[in-house]
Amino acid sequence: MFQIVGIVLLFVLVFGSYIISGGNMGVILHALPHELMAIGGAGVASFLIANSMPVIKATASGLGKVFSGPKWKASDYRDLLSLLFLLTKTMKSKGVIALESHIENPTESSIFTRFPKIMKDHFAIDFICDTLRMMTMNLEDPHQVEDAMEKQLDKHHHEALAPSHALQSLADALPALGIVAAVLGVIKTMGAITEPPEILGQMIGSALVGTFLGVFLAYGLVGPMATRLKEIVEEEGAFYRIIQSVLVAHLHGNAAQISVEIGRGSVPSGAQPSFLELEEALSNIPNEA
């Protein structure tokens, strides 16, 4: 919502100040299609050249996140802590054998299927199951499991940041592409040097629209979108860090309740449940779960 408000303010204030100061929008509107074709087309082409197809697809879907925000809400963090509580409690009270059926086939698990939104995140489910599987094989060395979790999280985070890096690279290129378009306009103007001053002035103004458009798109739209997307990826990455915190706490022998309380401390402040809210969520889990 704030992103849409920001875009509206950007256009209103920039072009409003230009009009109020006596600027002629006709010059900009006349040059806009050609300059946008040169700058936008070159920007898209360079983006395609610089990035792989997975990054291109992830960037396209990431643009939706710029406006919708992180996918994890406060209720999802409570669900995650509840899921981890059930898993660690089962492992603590019933042993490794009781947990195997859940981590080997989570789609049919009575524990995992209680949390359908988390089930849709394949990395979260795989991360939980793979870690628990390692714990069942190597319980005597918690540091080795913890190190493997850290490497897996670093790899996932690096890949998740690729779209924001791609957008930032595009933002960095747009001012230069604007200069390219402006230089082409100057070349066109120099080829018509015999024209009267009013014609030459309009041609030079049209050429300068290219420089303006490149800088405007870079610092007004694409750059801020890249920053926002990076911020969202960082916040969503906290969701997986909670998994690490809880399972590491469990590895070091803490009770299930203590482990999820340690994990609660890693929840982003805006979505963090209070101690009483988490306790209520855990107490509402049916006994048969």
Side-chain angles (χ1 to χ4, degrees):
M1 178 60 184
F2 285 111
Q3 286 69 41
I4 296 175
V5 172
I7 290 174
V8 172
L9 284 175
L10 174 70
F11 280 88
V12 169
L13 295 177
V14 170
F15 290 102
S17 65
Y18 173 72
I19 294 171
I20 291 172
S21 64
N24 182 5
M25 283 296 295
V27 176
I28 294 178
L29 294 176
H30 176 74
L32 189 61
H34 309 94
E35 299 294 335
L36 192 59
M37 179 179 177
I39 299 168
V44 170
S46 64
F47 181 82
L48 294 176
I49 293 169
N51 298 287
S52 64
M53 185 54 66
V55 173
I56 293 171
K57 291 180 178 179
T59 304
S61 62
L63 289 175
K65 288 185 177 182
V66 170
F67 299 97
S68 62
K71 67 178 179 179
W72 303 118
K73 311 303 178 186
S75 59
D76 300 319
Y77 287 100
R78 288 197 299 271
D79 286 346
L80 177 64
L81 292 171
S82 298
L83 169 61
L84 295 171
F85 172 78
L86 288 172
L87 292 171
T88 53
K89 182 180 179 182
T90 300
M91 192 172 186
K92 200 85 170 176
S93 60
K94 299 182 181 180
V96 172
I97 302 300
L99 198 63
E100 282 186 355
S101 61
H102 296 287
I103 61 178
E104 294 300 332
N105 195 3
T107 56
E108 296 182 5
S109 164
S110 60
I111 296 178
F112 282 101
T113 53
R114 287 178 51 82
F115 309 98
K117 186 173 180 180
I118 299 176
M119 282 291 295
K120 292 178 183 178
D121 190 308
H122 298 296
F123 175 76
I125 297 301
D126 290 343
F127 185 49
I128 293 171
C129 292
D130 290 347
T131 303
L132 289 173
R133 197 175 290 114
M134 283 191 294
M135 290 166 62
T136 62
M137 295 186 295
N138 201 17
L139 277 174
E140 73 279 0
D141 190 0
H143 297 289
Q144 186 176 356
V145 177
E146 185 176 353
D147 184 56
M149 294 172 72
E150 187 66 33
K151 290 179 179 177
Q152 196 170 353
L153 283 176
D154 287 344
K155 182 186 77 169
H156 179 267
H157 191 62
H158 175 76
E159 293 171 351
L161 283 174
S164 68
H165 291 325
L167 275 181
Q168 187 59 55
S169 296
L170 176 58
D172 294 340
L174 283 173
L177 294 176
I179 293 173
V180 169
V183 170
L184 290 175
V186 172
I187 293 172
K188 178 184 174 183
T189 303
M190 295 304 292
I193 196 67
T194 57
E195 295 290 335
E198 60 269 18
I199 300 296
L200 290 176
Q202 186 174 8
M203 295 177 71
I204 293 173
S206 297
L208 291 175
V209 170
T211 303
F212 158 75
L213 195 59
V215 175
F216 177 76
L217 291 175
Y219 296 106
L221 285 175
V222 181
M225 285 184 178
T227 300
R228 174 59 178 158
L229 184 56
K230 181 180 179 181
E231 182 183 86
I232 290 171
V233 170
E234 295 285 355
E235 185 171 333
E236 290 184 347
F239 193 82
Y240 310 115
R241 289 289 175 183
I242 293 167
I243 298 173
Q244 182 188 33
S245 297
V246 173
L247 295 184
V248 167
H250 173 77
L251 270 172
H252 288 284
N254 292 289
Q257 185 80 39
I258 301 299
S259 297
V260 296
E261 179 58 27
I262 292 172
R264 187 181 71 85
S266 300
V267 177
S269 299
Q272 187 180 49
S274 67
F275 177 83
L276 293 178
E277 287 174 338
L278 178 58
E279 189 174 38
E280 182 181 357
L282 297 180
S283 64
N284 288 335
I285 299 174
N287 291 330
E288 59 269 19

